[in-house]
Amino acid sequence: MIIIKKPVITEKMTAISEKLNKFAFIVDKRANKYQIKQAVEQLYDVKVVAVNTMNYAGKFKSRYTKGGVITGRTTAFKKAVVTLKEGDTIDFFSNI
């Protein structure tokens, strides 16, 4: 099971990471806080102090096309906000 799917890189999350040393990731829905903590520590070689998780339900969306209205749903996902130890940081753009 791949626990960490991708980091959340938004304007809001960048401001929070600079100010509070917190970083967000989209994670597997079945992963618990302990597994997320272990995965982040192994992947980025940092010390994790706290993990907060949020489950997001998929939103209903509709599109108007030539063939009529298409309705569907976006996928549900789980987000984890990880607080790192003072002095530790994660640089997502180091290998670009």
Side-chain angles (χ1 to χ4, degrees):
M1 171 170 72
I2 297 172
I3 293 175
I4 296 177
K5 294 184 178 178
K6 64 180 180 178
V8 176
I9 302 171
T10 60
E11 198 171 330
K12 184 176 183 179
M13 210 51 235
T14 305
I16 290 172
S17 64
E18 289 170 0
K19 189 186 283 186
L20 302 173
N21 208 24
K22 294 184 178 189
F23 297 88
F25 300 93
I26 302 295
V27 295
D28 191 279
K29 280 192 251 180
R30 298 164 293 178
N32 60 31
K33 291 182 180 186
Y34 184 71
Q35 291 171 328
I36 294 166
K37 178 180 177 177
Q38 282 185 323
V40 171
E41 286 179 345
Q42 282 181 348
L43 197 60
Y44 295 104
D45 196 32
V46 293
K47 179 76 175 117
V48 174
V49 176
V51 177
N52 299 91
T53 59
M54 292 146 269
N55 284 308
Y56 287 89
K59 295 180 181 177
F60 286 103
K61 299 257 183 167
S62 60
R63 287 190 321 211
Y64 299 97
T65 63
K66 238 183 339 184
V69 178
I70 299 173
T71 58
R73 195 180 180 118
T74 61
T75 57
F77 63 95
K78 186 174 193 175
K79 183 166 89 172
V81 178
V82 176
T83 306
L84 300 183
K85 187 181 85 172
E86 195 72 34
D88 283 354
T89 186
I90 298 173
D91 186 15
F92 295 121
F93 305 108
S94 63
N95 56 0
I96 292 178

